[in-house]
Amino acid sequence: MASVFLYHVVGDLTVGKPELEEFSETETVASAIRAIRESTECGISVWKRRTNPGMIENNEMRQQRFVGILTSLDVVSFLARPQCLDDHAKAIKTLVSDVVVPNNALLKIVDPGTRLIDALEMMKQGVRRLLVSKNTIWKGMSKRFSILYHGKWLKNMEGSCGNLSANTSFSSSSSCSSPTPAYMNNNNFCCLSREDIIRFLLGCLGALAPLPLSSISSLGAINQNYSSIDASRPASEAMQKHPGDPSAFAIMESTPEGHHRILGEISVSKLWKCDYLAAAWALANLSAGQFVMGIEDNVSSRWLNDVCDNSKPRKHSSTNSGFNPAGPSFGVGRSTYRGRSAPLTCKTTSSLAAVMAQMLSHRATHVWVTEGKDDDDDVLVGVVGYTDILAAVTKQPSSMVPGTRSILELRSEMHH
């Protein structure tokens, strides 16, 4: 196990992270669209409002208020329902509580002194966000694990876990923190996503050697349990089944040899900054193959301003495409739904570091894996997502299959 996982705590990763602004389930879908466009991992955490704002809230109370994560795919699937297409102005005023899929297990509140290895284990088990208290002193941690972001050692508030020697071994399930971490009247939290974890790991390649130089195939990081839709099938099939993790459907066509070639995808990544109403119409009316021919990356949000009951200014805006959902052209032709459709792919021989860099540079939640002599012969063999990477970097050396790349090969691959 790499020492970086044992000697770092989640508090080390919160440097510069903004404080959490809770998105309430009583907000509208229109407000959610704006928030999702500004979010990481193409989704936002949704919360119930505090029943007593003046009362100090402990971790259990806050955890119970967490509802789930609302993604771009969730919103587009909702807007693609017949009743929403008939009255889109009413649809985007729908409360988020009627759209989000409740799943309280997707977020976990953790002490800032929680070891990184324990955080990775949580995310490998399905946790997608970690809520971490900012600028707090936590108790019950040894000096070995109580380093703050500024690099100074903290004194334990009430004792310690005992004397820990340099030869002490730690299991992923061990923890010296007290059962109920005491936060000192602090309600300031920040949220760590899986993308934050991957970004941190990419900065620790040397400490993770030789894993980053190994191919994703040799590490067993290729997930073959992906969701897919044949290009000739209706795109609306994406509304009828949950894709799992990653939240993506591969749109495929069959080759004469019986293999499958990927044409594009329906995913939270591709829908992240698209025109949600136009995408909803396309999802309801086009085939999967037609759908992936027209994802628009940058569109106008002007229409939201006319119907959104939340006038709070936002940090980002997208370029104007001239799309008017109230106009006669809405839902008539594919001219309202256009753009790039090429999916993000890599090879089975690609190194783990290259795939991580590829995901971060494209702000993607996954990379499709293909195999073949050239692009025309490539067939889809799997996908690599956040969970697959976390499982790969925490592999024990004895479970690794030999197969590494040279430094020159890695640099060349990452450069291209």
Side-chain angles (χ1 to χ4, degrees), residues 28-63:
T28 64
V29 169
S31 298
I33 291 174
R34 283 199 180 110
I36 291 173
R37 285 173 172 166
E38 298 170 2
S39 70
T40 61
E41 290 201 55
C42 321
I44 54 174
S45 56
V46 179
W47 301 80
K48 297 178 182 177
R49 291 190 183 275
R50 297 179 63 168
T51 55
N52 189 350
M55 183 177 62
I56 296 178
E57 189 176 47
N58 61 31
N59 284 357
E60 183 178 356
M61 295 166 61
R62 182 179 287 265
Q63 180 75 54

Side-chain angles (χ1 to χ4, degrees), residues 247-270:
S247 186
F249 295 92
I251 307 305
M252 304 187 305
E253 67 174 358
S254 300
T255 66
E257 295 78 16
H259 300 300
H260 296 96
R261 183 181 295 113
I262 183 169
L263 299 180
E265 64 180 50
I266 299 176
S267 68
V268 294
S269 299
K270 283 293 185 180

